[in-house]
Amino acid sequence: MVDNEKSYVYKNREAPVEARVKDLLSRMTLPEKIGQMTLIERSVASEAVIRDFSIGSVLNRAGGWPFEDAKSSNWADMIDGFQRSALESRLGIPIIYGIDAVHGNNDVYGATIFPHNIGLGATRDADLVKRIGAATALEVRACGAHWAFAPCVAVVKDPRWGRCYESYGEVAQIVSEMTSLVSGLQGEPSKDHTNGYPFLAGRKNVVACAKHFVGDGGTNKAINEGNTILRYEDLERKHIAPYKKCISQGVSTVMASYSSWNGDKLHSHYFLLTEILKQKLGFKGYIVSDWEGLDRLSDPPGSNYRNCVKIGINAGIDMVMVPFKYEQFRNDLIDLVESGEVLMARVNDAVERILRVKFVAGLFEFPLTDRSLLPTVGCKEHRELAREAVRKSLVLLKNGRYGEFLPLNCNAERILVVGTHADDLGYQCGGWTKTMYGQSGRITDGTTLLDAIKAAVGDETEVIYEKSPSEETLASGYRFSYAIVAVGEPPYAETMGDNSELIIPFNGSEIITAVAEKIPTLVILFSGRPMFLEPQVLEKAEALVAAWLLGTEGQGIADVIFGDYEFRGKLPATWFKRVDQLPLDIESNGYLPLFPLGFGLNGDSVENSDTV
């Protein structure tokens, strides 16, 4: 048996990757090839299904834990179980397990949650983002997963879009700089690495996924999954540019967008997926569909599924996030190949790409979890990194009339802390945290703003917290040295986040005004995008900070507002005056924002602004 296995080139770790791919592909049946092209949700991933269908990949929907508050070791047990089933298949091809690790390993209880991308864009710190990628990779590998569905390199053109916080910013230059996350997740390839060829440094790294190709942040009227209307030259300059940076770093996978370009859905777009991404840009990894992405090629979604499969695969989709009806997908694709409607060459190309990534990732040699990585999950070093990211992401929009209000006195006699977001870790983290749409409350390990304030102030300082300020408290406002009001958006994701008004929820503006009329007030706004700031808010608040969706490490805010560190953040997106101005285009003559792209004060009210 051992001698026989040595004759299998694909099992020889010393053989070149392309030779291993060619050998393995030559041994595969059509159903086995289609199995590799199939990505299923863990709830249907039984031992028999994975083994008998030669399933190529498994993922979990956001919130699809082994059980609630499952630790990384529990995840590793589950994923290793899936992997052992795959290794029992005829050819022993390992699965690649994917997870939505979009700001840390955010599905997993106890993981370090970093700021969402919009906050990282405010840092303008590519090295910081790379280090976050490396830390995230360790925590993802510790739970057994091999593939992170990150980074999102959408260029957001309108804050009404429900996925605004998943973007690093509104211009390609900012987003392109932040693609350093790819090198953090996968490791950094050598200078002589072949452009477009997938790369993974080793067992402490994960396969990255640049998404969503392409133009998802530029849809008409900011409608999620909508239609981006642009000439190709503008699409390339404004939206494709960050993908070039990802490809130059060896990004291994790209996810297609639900959205359309000039009326044609990306999941069916041969020109963009094949002629541009694969041929012109030289991408040699694999393209994965989004969740039920092929179903959405028909109306109603899922109808005439055979035709959806035909269109999507022929356009260039290599792996299909089915995620449930794997039998129908397999049967339809077998029929399409046998009828000649999908060529075997197209199937072989898809499988070659998938196998290439699996060999590059070392999955054949090291298919199971490295449990020695478990201590990295939520470790002090990673939390300090997240705290650094919070500090650097904060954008100071106002600081008194003459820059005299901040920093705050940490030894003040009495402080009032108010607002829906002052002591809510789930609100602080936003969507894609534990579940797709996020949650309220102490959803994982972390430090709220209120926790951080209490830890930062002097022993003699009294901190009074009220989620909503009482009339009695406001009537005695003279007793307080100052107030900190924390308001913002509840968690949301995708289409549920589309918002045509962008008013601060939970009567945020009224709460700010009520407090600021009585007490000198610092407003901290937790949001995934610029929000409408009513004139009385800007007038009455002494200071205003955009804190974005910062993750689990609220101490980063206290570090800055109390003066241990200076404000450094710059707006990654234009702050509008009124929603009827949107979309605002920095290249337009009508660009009249409240705060321009790149704006940000330091502690002395000196603008940190630049053009981007």
Side-chain angles (χ1 to χ4, degrees):
M1 183 67 175
V2 174
D3 290 338
N4 188 38
E5 287 197 359
K6 283 184 178 179
S7 67
Y8 287 20
V9 175
Y10 82 90
K11 294 186 178 183
N12 179 5
R13 69 176 66 189
E14 305 300 326
V17 167
E18 292 305 307
R20 299 178 77 182
V21 170
K22 182 179 179 180
D23 178 69
L24 180 50
L25 188 69
S26 72
R27 301 175 186 275
M28 297 173 71
T29 64
L30 177 58
E32 287 171 333
K33 292 175 181 178
I34 293 171
Q36 287 303 298
M37 298 170 68
T38 307
L39 172 51
I40 62 172
E41 211 277 331
R42 72 160 198 90
S43 61
V44 296
S46 69
E47 178 181 341
V49 167
I50 292 174
R51 181 191 64 235
D52 298 343
F53 284 77
S54 191
I55 295 295
S57 184
V58 179
L59 85 159
N60 58 277
R61 66 165 76 219
W65 329 289
F67 52 87
E68 189 160 7
D69 295 345
K71 302 294 194 298
S72 291
S73 58
N74 305 124
W75 283 82
D77 291 341
M78 177 187 73
I79 296 171
D80 282 354
F82 295 148
Q83 190 68 283
R84 289 188 177 95
S85 299
L87 298 176
E88 291 174 2
S89 64
R90 184 179 75 90
L91 294 169
I93 305 173
I95 60 163
I96 182 168
Y97 191 98
I99 195 166
D100 284 300
V102 298
H103 63 140
N105 198 17
N106 43 262
D107 279 356
V108 178
Y109 186 90
T112 310
I113 308 300
F114 296 93
H116 266 299
N117 288 355
I118 195 72
L120 296 182
T123 72
R124 302 298 201 278
D125 191 334
D127 178 70
L128 170 69
V129 171
K130 181 180 175 182
R131 287 184 283 134
I132 288 171
T136 300
L138 288 171
E139 298 201 20
V140 170
R141 288 308 291 258
C143 86
H146 322 104
W147 182 19
F149 299 132
C152 176
V153 294
V155 179
V156 61
K157 293 299 183 181
D158 190 325
R160 293 175 293 183
W161 185 39
R163 306 190 77 155
C164 180
Y165 65 81
E166 296 185 57
S167 170
Y168 293 109
E170 73 176 44
V171 293
Q173 181 180 338
I174 295 173
V175 177
S176 294
E177 290 172 359
M178 299 299 104
T179 63
S180 56
L181 190 86
V182 171
S183 289
L185 291 170
Q186 295 190 161
E188 192 165 3
S190 62
K191 291 182 179 179
D192 61 354
H193 182 77
T194 302
N195 186 65
Y197 200 84
F199 177 80
L200 198 84
R203 298 179 68 190
K204 294 182 179 180
N205 297 96
V206 293
V207 169
C209 181
K211 65 183 189 182
H212 308 84
F213 192 83
V214 62
D216 49 338
T219 59
N220 186 38
K221 299 181 181 179
I223 296 170
N224 188 48
E225 304 177 20
N227 185 29
T228 299
I229 304 169
L230 283 175
R231 298 180 311 149
Y232 174 75
E233 292 75 16
D234 291 329
L235 184 77
E236 184 174 43
R237 179 172 59 90
K238 294 181 178 182
H239 295 282
I240 293 178
Y243 288 91
K244 296 179 182 179
K245 288 282 288 186
C246 292
I247 289 168
S248 72
Q249 296 171 75
V251 72
S252 296
T253 69
V254 172
M255 186 181 293
S257 177
Y258 286 133
S259 61
S260 301
W261 176 51
N262 294 335
D264 296 318
K265 289 184 177 290
L266 263 296
H267 277 73
S268 65
H269 217 295
Y270 179 84
F271 172 71
L272 288 175
L273 296 181
T274 297
E275 293 186 12
I276 298 301
L277 180 57
K278 290 182 177 180
Q279 296 173 3
K280 181 178 179 180
L281 301 185
F283 175 62
K284 295 295 190 293
Y286 64 84
I287 300 175
V288 62
S289 82
D290 208 331
W291 180 277
E292 294 182 338
L294 298 195
D295 299 59
R296 302 189 191 199
L297 295 178
S298 61
D299 187 20
S303 61
N304 198 0
Y305 188 65
R306 182 182 183 277
N307 191 55
C308 295
V309 172
K310 172 185 171 180
I311 294 169
I313 299 301
N314 281 336
I317 301 291
D318 301 307
M319 181 183 282
V320 177
M321 198 182 297
V322 175
F324 301 115
K325 48 188 181 186
Y326 54 88
E327 287 189 81
Q328 185 178 354
F329 172 70
R330 183 191 67 168
N331 293 340
D332 282 346
L333 188 47
I334 287 175
D335 185 60
L336 286 163
V337 174
E338 290 178 344
S339 69
E341 294 169 82
V342 172
L343 298 179
M344 183 63 82
R346 171 76 271 270
V347 171
N348 287 343
D349 172 63
V351 178
E352 283 174 0
R353 291 169 176 274
I354 294 163
L355 296 178
R356 179 178 296 129
V357 171
K358 290 186 176 185
F359 283 121
V360 165
L363 292 180
F364 284 80
E365 287 69 52
F366 302 106
L368 301 177
T369 307
D370 180 354
R371 307 283 173 135
S372 72
L373 298 178
L374 284 169
T376 69
V377 178
C379 66
K380 182 179 180 181
E381 180 183 359
H382 290 178
R383 292 190 182 275
E384 285 297 321
L385 177 61
R387 183 173 178 173
E388 175 189 350
V390 173
R391 289 196 296 264
K392 292 180 175 179
S393 71
L394 302 176
V395 179
L396 181 59
L397 298 175
K398 179 183 178 183
N399 187 20
R401 193 166 295 179
Y402 305 106
E404 77 286 355
F405 192 67
L406 295 177
L408 300 174
N409 178 9
C410 63
N411 292 307
E413 182 179 351
R414 187 175 293 107
I415 301 169
L416 177 64
V417 180
V418 167
T420 50
H421 288 59
D423 194 34
D424 194 312
L425 193 63
Y427 279 12
Q428 185 173 294
C429 291
W432 294 109
T433 311
K434 198 171 180 185
T435 68
M436 177 176 174
Y437 296 108
Q439 295 177 325
S440 176
R442 296 271 175 176
I443 62 173
T444 188
D445 296 332
T447 304
T448 66
L449 173 62
L450 181 63
D451 295 334
I453 291 169
K454 289 180 175 179
V457 299
D459 294 339
E460 303 300 315
T461 299
E462 183 181 6
V463 178
I464 307 296
Y465 167 64
E466 294 182 0
K467 186 175 181 179
S468 182
S470 65
E471 291 184 8
E472 293 177 351
T473 298
L474 293 177
S476 60
Y478 63 88
R479 298 188 305 124
F480 297 98
S481 301
Y482 54 82
I484 298 172
V485 177
V487 293
E489 296 185 286
Y492 56 85
E494 299 193 6
T495 303
M496 296 292 289
D498 283 359
N499 187 329
S500 61
E501 297 181 339
L502 298 179
I503 295 169
I504 301 173
F506 309 118
N507 299 315
S509 295
E510 289 80 358
I511 291 172
I512 293 167
T513 303
V515 176
E517 284 179 339
K518 302 291 187 180
I519 309 167
T521 297
L522 162 65
V523 175
I524 301 176
L525 181 61
F526 293 80
S527 66
R529 50 195 161 191
M531 306 293 291
F532 174 58
L533 297 176
E534 297 185 12
Q536 68 264 28
V537 168
L538 285 168
E539 176 190 346
K540 296 183 182 299
E542 287 288 338
L544 176 61
V545 173
W548 315 111
L549 301 172
L550 57 96
T552 50
E553 307 312 304
Q555 312 98 309
I557 297 181
D559 290 342
V560 181
I561 64 174
F562 291 115
D564 292 336
Y565 294 83
E566 284 201 347
F567 285 92
R568 291 182 46 176
K570 303 173 184 179
L571 286 180
T574 298
W575 208 292
F576 60 93
K577 292 179 182 178
R578 307 177 314 276
V579 290
D580 61 12
Q581 292 178 293
L582 297 172
L584 275 170
D585 187 349
I586 194 171
E587 299 177 3
S588 166
N589 292 330
Y591 185 72
L592 296 170
L594 181 61
F595 301 108
L597 175 67
F599 179 86
L601 304 173
N602 65 23
D604 299 318
S605 287
V606 176
E607 191 177 333
N608 290 324
S609 180
D610 58 19
T611 56
V612 294

